[in-house]
Amino acid sequence: MKALKITILSSIIAMGVSAQNNGLTDMSQSKYAQMANTELGSVRWTNGFWGDRFNVFKDNTILSMWKTWNTPELSHGFRNFEIAAGVCPGEHWGPPFHDGDVYKWLEGVASVYAITKDPKLDELMDHVIDHIAKAQREDGYIHTPVVIEERNKGIDTHKKSQTLIGTKVGEEDEKGAFANRLNFETYNLGHLMMAGIVHHRATGKNTLLDVAVKATDFLCHFYETASAELARNAICPSHYMGVVEMYRTTRNLRYLELSKNLIDIRGMVENGTDDNQDRVPFRDQTKAMGHAVRANYLYAGVADVYAETGEKLLMENLESIWKDIVTRKMYITGACGALYDGTSPDGTCYEPDSIQKVHQSYGRPYQLPNSTAHNETCANIGNMLFNWRMFQTSRDAKYIDIVENCFYNSILSGISLDGKKYFYTNPLRISHDLPYTLRWPKERMEYISCFCCPPNTVRTLCEAQNYAYSINEEGIWCNMYGGSELETKLTSGDKVKLVQVSDYPWDGNVQLTVETAPKKKAFSIFMRIPEWCRKATITVNGEAWSGTLLPDMYVELNRVWKKGDKVELIMPMEPVLMESHPLVEETRNQIAVKRGPLVYCLESIDIEGGKRIDDVLIPTDIKLTPKKITIEGSPIVALEGVAQLAAGDSWEDTLYRPVGQVNQNVNIRLIPYYAWGNRGKTEMTVWMAASRK
């Protein structure tokens, strides 16, 4: 009967979803959403910044990572599925979340295929999915460490019963289904759900979606029968987003109920931790706390639940948490997670048995170190996903400002310009003089032992075009600028095609041309004025738009559009010196530089005469001149200017010394933060000492 149920549900999916191919998050039918995605494949980058980046991702990154997966001596990511599928013998090797890493990569491949329709990518996906499907137990459970252990013990996975939930396979380990929350099963399943959905929307096939349906049904059964303590498996809860999107895709009400119950069950956990955001129920949380990846995934998932249920308290808490992050705990790059390791400032009452450890986490308000900033790329992606969902439920431009900030500054920084190497952490300062060793490398690497960030970065950047536009009953919203084409339908069903020409983020000029529009029907085009833009102008067919233009807003242009109509948005883009709140002690009397949406940094290689990066002072009246350069074949706009050098005695064996005096000028070049570390091993800093007259 179970197999019959799955077959029927898959048939429902095949009939219902192919007509509503709404991108990555399908909020087109979400009662409390105000915005919907464009269809997957309806937006393509044509040229410029994102066009160049997308070409690197599709030509280099996707297949470079497949080489990593398909090289067992380096990574067992795919080999684990081969063993679990019975294709070859062996033992599981690698972290327990490696399954989820493969799913993330597969989602990225599907997103590229939605644009290119490359048959080789389709064939590659079929190959990988075939092994994933064979690795799944008959009852829907899939987690290669457990399935491989069962195979090696001679257990027939095709006769596996759900009665084994929470039991241990071995006597001395915790490798049974949901026996140990650090096995990351629900995290992996969340990424399986999203990969299955995106693959279906890109190809029209159900092969991976059927696997996701069976797994989601298993998860439903688990939460319907599990105790609250077993439900602590909600670690790094990507499955919150996954389950809601499965409901949107299948319209299976059981999944909607599960999404609501996930929040309820989290509130029942005893002996929870701030690190996992379950010490107190979510409905009592108003501040960001704990492990930043887990936190941001949780907030994004709860925002998805709100879009379906409209529970007021959920949104009130999310808005409070968002304000706490953006005004007190987020880096200028949009990155999150100040602490490598620490003590939770939220649950501590200074009794020994109450002090809780946190790692890779949010710290106290304004606690934003630079050299020891963790800023895991996954946390920054989570921040983007959280803000995207907040935008979809509010249409407030302030959320897209954070989405844009994360994409340009703290997600792109996680990958090399050639698309083959990755960071795990994204500090704002790298010094060769630190008297201690941090856990993660200071240079990008092709393979990192904790490989969660690289495939997450790949899938997110391969999907960037899906964030460029949104649709609602009023019209089309332009969120992210860059050379692109949009072919879609309005909610009325009328076809629209827009062509955007722009060299953004190097230039603030945007030209939008209407190629196709409904006859004699008015609709609105909404142009976003970013937070960084203090003076913008808009013309429609050469005539100035006379309304109010303010930072952090959408401008509505409503008319009966016709082929050839042009909208031009001009946003002057000048370098701006930034300072932090005085309570951010590590950056007192220091400045950072932004130009448009980009945060800039100084690498030691770009200081005239090889001077020490710590001796560079930035005059508050410095004149920075844009200059086009190329790094690793990638076009960049650098900023050049004259800084000052401070002279002083050596810092060797010295903690304090008299203030050094400015003794000469020095030429410097700043580059976008995302591009640092692509020219060999150098020192780097975003924040630089200010020289005030």
Side-chain angles (χ1 to χ4, degrees):
M1 286 297 293
K2 194 174 297 178
L4 177 62
K5 173 183 175 184
I6 292 169
T7 301
I8 292 172
L9 186 54
S10 296
S11 299
I12 293 172
I13 294 168
M15 290 186 291
V17 181
S18 58
Q20 45 174 318
N21 174 23
N22 285 68
L24 307 176
T25 52
D26 180 7
M27 291 195 182
S28 59
Q29 299 183 61
S30 301
K31 185 176 180 180
Y32 297 94
Q34 299 190 41
M35 208 68 64
N37 279 51
T38 52
E39 302 90 340
L40 199 65
S42 66
V43 181
R44 64 182 64 238
W45 302 117
T46 54
N47 52 33
F49 180 87
W50 284 111
D52 291 343
R53 291 291 86 209
F54 184 81
N55 287 337
V56 169
F57 303 145
K58 75 178 178 67
D59 295 337
N60 296 352
T61 305
I62 290 294
L63 296 181
S64 170
M65 188 165 287
W66 168 242
K67 183 179 179 181
T68 296
W69 290 134
N70 204 32
T71 306
E73 298 79 16
L74 179 62
S75 165
H76 246 225
F78 182 60
R79 176 53 55 88
N80 288 334
F81 282 105
E82 291 181 305
I83 299 170
V87 173
C88 63
E91 300 286 340
H92 182 275
W93 176 60
F97 45 79
H98 241 7
D99 291 5
D101 296 340
V102 173
Y103 301 145
K104 285 180 274 188
W105 168 80
L106 197 53
E107 181 184 336
V109 178
S111 297
V112 171
Y113 177 80
I115 301 298
T116 67
K117 300 301 181 184
D118 183 345
K120 292 183 179 179
L121 292 183
D122 193 28
E123 183 180 349
L124 175 59
M125 289 189 289
D126 286 346
H127 173 68
V128 175
I129 291 168
D130 179 62
H131 288 78
I132 292 172
K134 289 177 180 177
Q136 187 172 36
R137 286 192 335 203
E138 182 63 27
D139 61 4
Y141 178 79
I142 180 169
H143 183 58
T144 60
V146 171
V147 174
I148 290 172
E149 184 81 3
E150 291 173 348
R151 278 192 176 276
N152 289 341
K153 288 182 177 293
I155 300 173
D156 188 349
T157 60
H158 291 286
K159 295 182 179 179
K160 198 70 178 172
S161 168
Q162 289 184 333
T163 58
L164 291 177
I165 293 174
T167 61
K168 298 179 184 179
V169 173
E171 293 294 328
E172 299 178 355
D173 55 21
E174 293 185 336
K175 296 182 180 179
F178 297 114
N180 182 348
R181 68 194 185 106
L182 292 178
N183 282 345
F184 287 86
E185 285 135 306
T186 55
Y187 168 82
N188 291 341
L189 292 179
H191 286 298
L192 169 61
M193 296 170 199
M194 292 305 301
I197 291 166
V198 173
H199 176 259
H200 171 79
R201 291 173 180 169
T203 67
K205 299 178 182 180
N206 291 340
T207 48
L208 190 58
L209 186 57
D210 282 345
V211 176
V213 166
K214 290 177 66 176
T216 309
D217 286 343
F218 182 92
L219 194 63
C220 285
H221 181 79
F222 167 66
Y223 276 107
E224 288 164 0
T225 59
S227 69
E229 201 59 29
L230 278 175
R232 291 187 71 196
N233 280 277
I235 191 170
C236 226
S238 67
H239 62 300
Y240 282 44
M241 292 179 278
V243 167
V244 175
E245 202 60 32
M246 286 295 291
Y247 162 68
R248 292 169 180 158
T249 302
T250 66
R251 310 312 293 177
N252 186 335
L253 291 174
R254 191 184 185 196
Y255 301 163
L256 178 60
E257 286 304 309
L258 174 59
S259 73
K260 294 186 288 187
N261 291 338
L262 288 172
I263 300 174
D264 297 335
I265 293 172
R266 174 178 285 271
M268 298 166 58
V269 171
E270 296 180 3
N271 302 315
T273 66
D274 288 326
D275 209 26
N276 202 44
Q277 297 83 37
D278 57 9
R279 179 178 57 83
V280 297
F282 178 80
R283 291 179 177 85
D284 294 334
Q285 295 181 28
T286 58
K287 298 177 181 177
M289 66 179 73
H291 193 292
V293 181
R294 301 176 190 180
N296 292 348
Y297 273 35
L298 171 64
Y299 307 149
V302 173
D304 268 334
V305 175
Y306 169 80
E308 303 303 326
T309 67
E311 184 183 337
K312 185 178 179 181
L313 182 58
L314 296 182
M315 182 50 65
E316 288 176 352
N317 286 17
L318 289 173
E319 288 174 342
S320 177
I321 290 168
W322 182 88
K323 183 177 181 180
D324 185 46
I325 293 172
V326 173
T327 65
R328 305 196 299 177
K329 295 176 180 175
M330 187 178 76
Y331 283 86
I332 192 171
T333 57
C336 300
L339 306 180
Y340 263 71
D341 301 286
T343 300
S344 171
D346 300 290
T348 301
C349 58
Y350 301 103
E351 297 174 7
D353 60 355
S354 298
I355 296 176
Q356 294 185 345
K357 177 188 76 69
V358 291
H359 72 298
Q360 306 180 21
S361 72
Y362 287 107
R364 297 181 184 277
Y366 308 110
Q367 186 179 12
L368 297 169
N370 293 317
S371 296
T372 59
H374 197 270
N375 292 348
E376 182 182 337
T377 310
C378 284
N380 309 335
I381 291 170
N383 192 26
M384 184 278 292
L385 296 173
F386 173 33
N387 278 273
W388 177 247
R389 285 155 173 78
M390 293 295 281
F391 167 69
Q392 289 180 302
T393 56
S394 70
R395 66 190 207 175
D396 192 326
K398 68 182 181 183
Y399 298 118
I400 295 297
D401 280 319
I402 305 299
V403 168
E404 180 178 68
N405 190 10
C406 291
F407 263 115
Y408 281 114
N409 299 306
S410 56
I411 299 176
L412 270 172
S413 60
I415 188 170
S416 60
L417 292 176
D418 66 4
K420 296 180 180 180
K421 297 179 180 179
Y422 306 90
F423 277 138
Y424 183 73
T425 59
N426 295 274
L428 274 69
R429 177 180 171 80
I430 290 291
S431 172
H432 298 329
D433 296 332
L434 289 182
Y436 45 84
T437 301
L438 297 173
R439 282 196 296 273
W440 303 109
K442 297 178 181 179
E443 297 177 273
R444 295 181 184 88
M445 303 179 69
E446 286 194 38
Y447 186 75
I448 310 168
S449 59
C450 186
F451 203 62
C452 58
C453 292
N456 209 7
T457 303
V458 170
R459 67 144 183 166
T460 303
L461 294 175
C462 288
E463 295 167 345
Q465 64 277 3
N466 299 308
Y467 297 91
Y469 302 91
S470 296
I471 294 178
N472 68 1
E473 68 282 355
E474 296 169 79
I476 297 174
W477 299 63
C478 301
N479 304 321
M480 290 176 60
Y481 297 121
S484 61
E485 290 184 359
L486 166 67
E487 290 191 70
T488 188
K489 291 181 180 179
L490 301 174
T491 56
S492 62
D494 294 299
K495 293 182 179 180
V496 172
K497 180 178 180 180
L498 303 179
V499 175
Q500 184 181 151
V501 177
S502 177
D503 201 24
Y504 194 90
W506 310 127
D507 184 280
N509 298 345
V510 177
Q511 183 182 92
L512 199 69
T513 302
V514 177
E515 292 290 336
T516 304
K519 295 181 179 180
K520 299 180 181 180
K521 286 185 180 180
F523 69 93
S524 295
I525 295 177
F526 294 82
M527 304 295 290
R528 183 174 71 94
I529 310 300
E531 184 274 338
W532 61 262
C533 180
R534 292 295 181 264
K535 186 179 180 181
T537 58
I538 290 180
T539 62
V540 179
N541 294 333
E543 295 184 7
W545 189 79
S546 58
T548 302
L549 294 175
L550 297 174
D552 237 359
M553 69 174 288
Y554 280 89
V555 176
E556 181 177 6
L557 306 173
N558 181 270
R559 61 186 289 157
V560 176
W561 299 93
K562 64 181 184 302
K563 179 179 174 60
D565 283 346
K566 293 185 185 297
V567 176
E568 292 189 80
L569 170 62
I570 307 299
M571 298 175 287
M573 192 177 282
E574 300 295 333
V576 178
L577 304 188
M578 308 291 293
E579 64 181 350
S580 63
H581 190 288
L583 289 180
V584 183
E585 295 178 346
E586 288 216 15
T587 52
R588 285 290 298 271
N589 296 319
Q590 297 183 46
I591 63 168
V593 177
K594 289 189 70 176
R595 182 176 182 267
L598 294 173
V599 174
Y600 279 71
C601 70
L602 175 64
E603 283 192 280
S604 53
I605 195 175
D606 291 320
I607 305 172
E608 180 187 20
K611 303 298 184 182
R612 283 169 34 90
I613 202 168
D614 290 331
D615 293 336
V616 175
L617 305 175
I618 306 297
T620 54
D621 60 354
I622 189 172
K623 303 299 181 184
L624 293 169
T625 303
K627 181 177 180 179
K628 293 182 179 181
I629 65 171
T630 299
I631 299 178
E632 280 291 312
S634 181
I636 299 288
V637 172
L639 300 175
E640 296 184 338
V642 179
Q644 297 174 335
L645 283 177
D649 297 332
S650 169
W651 281 109
E652 186 175 356
D653 297 327
T654 300
L655 186 58
Y656 305 102
R657 74 178 190 192
V659 174
Q661 300 300 311
V662 174
N663 67 345
Q664 69 179 92
N665 292 335
V666 62
N667 293 317
I668 63 169
R669 171 184 285 174
L670 307 178
I671 66 169
Y673 171 75
Y674 80 82
W676 87 270
N678 283 278
R679 297 173 292 173
K681 192 173 182 180
T682 65
E683 293 190 314
M684 179 277 299
T685 186
V686 169
W687 291 95
M688 299 160 282
S691 175
R692 304 175 188 269
K693 292 184 178 180

